[in-house]
Amino acid sequence: MKKLTIQYLMFLGVLTLAIVASQILIQRTISDSKTDSRIINISGRQRMLSQKISKAALKLPLSKSKEEFNRTKSELTDAARLWNDSHQALKFGNERLDVSEMNESVFLERLFTQIQPYFQSINEAVTELDQFNYDHILTDKVPPQMDEAIQAISDHEKDFLKLMNDITFEYDRIASEKVEKLSTSEYYLLAGTLLLILLEAFFIFRPMVKTSKRKDHVISEFNDYVQQSISALGQTHQEKEIANSTLTEANEKIEALSTVNNNLRKRIKQTKNEYEKLEKEFRKMNKTV
């Protein structure tokens, strides 16, 4: 029994470790999925921001008022700032975004290398446009530097958008691959857990059931023996009562016979005395005659 207890504790410990490992994998999957989804969302947003930058740049020289110009310029610089910060976060990560695991992909590294010149050109063009104000477009002709910056943004935005699509798809592929690997590991853990349960049922619970059945059989036999003993004791007690009753009756009969015998002796003695008395009288009568 002690051996079974030790084996049970060992199986229970291994099963607990398997369940804990499974939960760790599940929590890791959830955490990674959240991070990966954020990376994919940011990557997808980069495409929208590049289009927004291009649209704002083209709209800037067409402004009809200073307020419209400043509003469009603010839209351009805000979009460019977020676009630039997101690009750096995707490449190097930050406190809120861990891209170290994702960026281990060689293909992804190659895509970032290819997209860097277009990113740099658009970023420089936005910086160039930030130097202009509404007074520069009051004349009928747009300043050459401004026109060149707008043209640079328009030309490089298409190439940037195409490569950014490839980067987003690569992020999505890596995320899906990670989920599949973790899912496979989860299945292995589940199979291992089920195997442990089967082994525990075969090596622990099966012997325990057999031992329990043997004990039940022994207890049943002992119970039968006790019942037979009680029955035998009951029969012995009954026989003893019958014997005591017979003995009492015998004693009563003996006492009755003893009384009769005593009475008979008394009568015999009386008869003898009377006979002797008659014999004496008869003798006296014979002497007289």
Side-chain angles (χ1 to χ4, degrees):
M1 191 65 185
K2 185 177 180 181
K3 183 179 179 181
L4 286 176
T5 302
I6 294 173
Q7 289 178 347
Y8 175 75
L9 291 176
M10 289 177 61
F11 274 108
L12 186 62
V14 175
L15 184 62
T16 302
L17 288 176
I19 293 173
V20 170
S22 177
Q23 285 299 313
I24 290 174
L25 272 178
I26 291 173
Q27 294 302 320
R28 180 183 174 187
T29 303
I30 294 172
S31 178
D32 286 349
S33 296
K34 289 180 179 179
T35 302
D36 294 346
S37 297
R38 181 169 173 75
I39 291 173
I40 294 170
N41 288 337
I42 292 174
S43 178
R45 189 181 63 189
Q46 286 295 86
R47 296 175 297 179
M48 179 271 294
L49 288 174
S50 65
Q51 292 174 328
K52 189 174 183 179
I53 290 170
S54 179
K55 181 180 177 181
L58 291 171
K59 185 180 176 183
L60 193 63
L62 303 177
S63 300
K64 301 300 182 182
S65 64
K66 185 176 183 179
E67 290 76 12
E68 182 182 354
F69 182 91
N70 291 335
R71 185 169 59 252
T72 303
K73 184 178 178 182
S74 177
E75 180 182 342
L76 173 66
T77 53
D78 290 344
R81 187 181 303 109
L82 179 58
W83 177 74
N84 186 62
D85 293 341
S86 299
H87 185 79
Q88 299 303 320
L90 289 174
K91 284 189 67 176
F92 307 109
N94 55 34
E95 294 179 356
R96 296 177 297 174
L97 192 67
D98 183 11
V99 297
S100 57
E101 190 173 358
M102 279 281 203
N103 288 356
E104 289 178 355
S105 169
V106 177
F107 180 63
L108 197 59
E109 183 179 356
R110 189 183 304 121
L111 288 174
F112 272 113
T113 301
Q114 293 174 3
I115 205 174
Q116 186 61 28
Y118 305 112
F119 169 78
Q120 190 68 30
S121 297
I122 294 174
N123 206 31
E124 290 175 355
V126 171
T127 303
E128 182 72 22
L129 288 176
D130 191 45
Q131 299 176 4
F132 294 96
N133 52 46
Y134 183 68
D135 294 336
H136 292 100
I137 64 169
L138 288 178
T139 58
D140 294 336
K141 190 175 181 180
V142 178
Q145 295 87 350
M146 187 177 185
D147 188 56
E148 290 176 2
I150 294 172
Q151 190 62 42
I153 292 174
S154 180
D155 291 342
H156 295 307
E157 186 263 336
K158 296 178 181 179
D159 295 322
F160 178 88
L161 184 61
K162 179 181 179 303
L163 289 171
M164 203 67 230
N165 275 332
D166 295 338
I167 290 174
T168 302
F169 291 146
E170 179 65 8
Y171 275 133
D172 184 68
R173 185 194 67 79
I174 294 172
S176 299
E177 190 177 82
K178 286 169 63 178
V179 171
E180 288 178 2
K181 287 181 179 178
L182 290 172
S183 178
T184 302
S185 301
E186 183 66 24
Y187 281 125
Y188 281 130
L189 275 174
L190 177 61
T193 302
L194 293 176
L195 179 61
L196 283 172
I197 292 173
L198 290 175
L199 291 174
E200 187 174 8
F202 185 79
F203 289 105
I204 301 298
F205 294 111
R206 186 167 172 264
M208 288 176 69
V209 169
K210 286 185 176 180
T211 303
S212 177
K213 287 183 177 180
R214 285 198 299 268
K215 288 184 176 181
D216 289 341
H217 182 68
V218 171
I219 291 172
S220 179
E221 289 182 345
F222 182 74
N223 186 49
D224 292 341
Y225 173 76
V226 170
Q227 292 296 330
Q228 292 174 2
S229 299
I230 292 172
S231 178
L233 287 172
Q235 291 177 359
T236 303
H237 181 70
Q238 187 177 3
E239 290 174 355
K240 184 178 179 181
E241 287 182 351
I242 294 172
N244 288 334
S245 177
T246 304
L247 182 60
T248 302
E249 291 178 0
N251 289 331
E252 290 177 354
K253 289 180 180 180
I254 290 171
E255 288 179 359
L257 289 173
S258 178
T259 302
V260 171
N261 187 37
N262 290 332
N263 292 333
L264 184 59
R265 285 180 180 180
K266 288 179 180 180
R267 292 187 66 181
I268 291 172
K269 188 176 181 180
Q270 289 177 358
T271 304
K272 184 178 178 182
N273 290 333
E274 289 178 357
Y275 176 78
E276 288 177 351
K277 186 178 180 181
L278 289 173
E279 187 180 3
K280 286 179 181 181
E281 290 179 357
F282 182 76
R283 286 177 181 177
K284 287 181 180 182
M285 288 176 64
N286 285 335
K287 287 181 181 182
T288 304
V289 174

